[in-house]
Amino acid sequence: MDEKKIVFSALKPTGDLTIGNYIGALKNMIDMTNDYDCLYAVADLHSLTVDCVPAELRKRSYDFMAFFLAIGLDPKKCTLFLQSHVPAHAELAWILNCFTQFGEAKRMTQFKDKSAKAPQNVNVGLFAYPTLMAADILLYKADYVPVGKDQLQHLELARTIAERFNNKYSPTFVVPEGITGKKGSKIYSLADPTAKMGKTDDNANGTIFLLDDPDTMMRKFRRAVTDSETVVRYDVKNKPGISNLLTIYSVFAGCSIEEAEARFASSDYATLKNGVGECVVEFFKPIRAEYNRLIADKAYLEEIMKQGADKASYLANKTLSKVYRKVGLVR
Ligand code: TRP
């Protein structure tokens, strides 16, 4: 029998989820559960590497789990859990720290960017962020890791650490492969269509959050920055705003960009913006209803978290035991 390949990914609960996360990550995560053994974590330990308000971190951890379920990730088909509920992540991260050179961690561009942005809090956790991420992945012998392009350098480091460990001892870790989203899977801020729509976007008007109510979503779409022409055409270079709206429409209406273009060919910009807004609002209507139902049922969410953590712990501890033995710790 063919063993299914293993997929691991995680989302950091810093900032609320956006339709950018949906298109760039979540949608793909759902699709992959059909073909792979998938483990998806809420990377709450990673959130601690930047200043965060305890109550917000806790709320977002529930929110993320509720959204995982509401968008259609089925806990029977994949493993959903909080990173901090599986102590093996922190334990393996320590070991991997000892197999990572200071110079390697220091070269990470995310570390440099984040240190420059928050010079008052360049903590050791921020420095060790990629080794915790490597532990997340290596514990489950993941073959594939869906990540954003900005995380590819971290993935490369995880591969390096895995190979180093395997060479020094004996084959222990699977060397993971990164998978970045398909073309056209990236969407941009509505307020600045040349900048990525991020969960921590400075301009909240440019970002559609999954938690935004329908009126807020519509208002943001109506205000979307376009251009001074009047023709609806997909042309990323010259018409980034219009192209972005067409991309968003195509994803949520489930059609190609060409079809989206054709549907709005004779529309003015206001009609396009309303059309795209309504399509997104409609798409998220049942998801929002399901989210609202789940978030009111903490006991159920905690049960799902626990089941996920139990399944994940079982696998993670097998790898961790092997590692402990190989490096010479007394078992
Ligand atoms: N660092 C990732 C991000 O910011 C989140 C993450 C944590 C992750 N651990 C991971 C992604 C392991 C993939 C695999 O997006």
Side-chain angles (χ1 to χ4, degrees):
M1 197 187 84
D2 262 359
E3 287 260 322
K4 276 192 193 167
K5 297 271 190 193
I6 297 169
V7 168
F8 180 92
S9 198
L11 263 66
K12 213 171 27 185
T14 336
D16 292 327
L17 289 168
T18 72
I19 61 167
N21 300 125
Y22 182 83
I23 296 177
L26 296 168
K27 191 170 176 289
N28 199 24
M29 284 162 61
I30 303 166
D31 292 343
M32 291 187 109
T33 59
N34 293 319
D35 302 313
Y36 304 103
D37 267 337
C38 299
L39 297 114
Y40 298 131
V42 177
D44 51 358
L45 294 175
H46 274 110
S47 289
L48 296 173
T49 61
V50 295
D51 282 323
C52 64
V53 179
E56 281 178 12
L57 174 60
R58 194 171 297 118
K59 175 182 182 299
R60 281 211 186 94
S61 299
Y62 282 101
D63 272 352
F64 275 41
M65 192 52 80
F67 269 118
F68 277 180
L69 298 170
I71 60 164
L73 284 171
D74 178 354
K76 290 193 204 71
K77 277 173 72 182
C78 59
T79 306
L80 307 171
F81 65 104
L82 302 192
Q83 184 187 34
S84 65
H85 287 181
V86 181
H89 290 246
E91 293 170 302
L92 182 62
W94 173 255
I95 306 284
L96 299 184
N97 279 336
C98 303
F99 290 84
T100 306
Q101 295 304 301
F102 184 85
E104 288 175 315
K106 205 174 99 183
R107 274 199 293 281
M108 295 292 115
T109 41
Q110 182 177 287
F111 174 69
K112 290 192 251 181
D113 290 349
K114 289 196 174 177
S115 313
K117 260 198 200 158
Q120 80 290 352
N121 187 16
V122 184
N123 61 80
V124 175
L126 187 65
F127 189 70
Y129 183 115
T131 46
L132 177 59
M133 183 165 156
D136 297 342
I137 300 165
L138 299 180
L139 276 175
Y140 302 101
K141 305 187 184 305
D143 299 281
Y144 303 121
V145 183
V147 281
K149 286 211 175 66
D150 62 323
Q151 297 297 310
L152 277 178
Q153 196 185 27
H154 290 164
L155 199 87
E156 202 46 52
L157 183 60
R159 291 168 56 90
T160 304
I161 299 170
E163 279 166 355
R164 181 173 296 150
F165 193 98
N166 289 349
N167 289 336
K168 176 154 186 191
Y169 301 96
S170 55
T172 310
F173 296 126
V174 169
V175 181
E177 226 175 279
I179 299 190
T180 53
K182 307 172 202 71
K183 238 186 162 179
S185 64
K186 190 167 163 188
I187 61 163
Y188 298 85
S189 163
L190 297 179
D192 174 6
T194 57
K196 184 178 158 185
M197 186 187 283
K199 38 182 168 84
T200 41
D201 202 320
D202 308 316
N203 189 344
N205 281 324
T207 304
I208 305 285
F209 295 101
L210 300 192
L211 280 168
D212 281 343
D213 59 58
D215 287 345
T216 307
M217 283 195 184
M218 288 306 291
R219 181 172 51 75
K220 290 179 180 176
F221 276 106
R222 284 197 201 101
R223 283 200 195 161
V225 168
T226 51
D227 54 56
S228 54
E229 291 183 5
T230 51
V231 46
V232 175
R233 179 163 46 84
Y234 187 80
D235 176 350
V236 177
K237 196 152 166 276
N238 299 307
K239 299 169 76 67
I242 296 295
S243 305
N244 190 39
L245 288 170
L246 288 170
T247 304
I248 295 171
Y249 183 84
S250 77
V251 172
F252 293 107
C255 67
S256 67
I257 301 267
E258 291 74 26
E259 281 171 307
E261 216 177 6
R263 263 177 229 184
F264 292 102
S266 53
S267 306
D268 57 21
Y269 285 1
T271 311
L272 171 70
K273 291 178 188 180
N274 271 316
V276 179
E278 277 161 16
C279 168
V280 173
V281 166
E282 274 309 303
F283 184 90
F284 283 105
K285 203 180 254 174
I287 293 175
R288 164 195 308 281
E290 183 62 359
Y291 164 82
N292 283 333
R293 192 183 71 77
L294 290 164
I295 204 66
D297 191 352
K298 292 266 183 332
Y300 175 72
L301 290 175
E302 285 163 6
E303 180 54 31
I304 295 293
M305 290 174 183
K306 183 175 183 315
Q307 284 172 13
D310 286 348
K311 276 202 277 174
S313 292
Y314 172 75
L315 299 167
N317 286 332
K318 280 208 287 193
T319 306
L320 187 68
S321 290
K322 258 195 220 164
V323 169
Y324 273 15
R325 199 158 15 83
K326 292 195 190 192
V327 299
L329 299 175
V330 174
R331 300 310 287 151

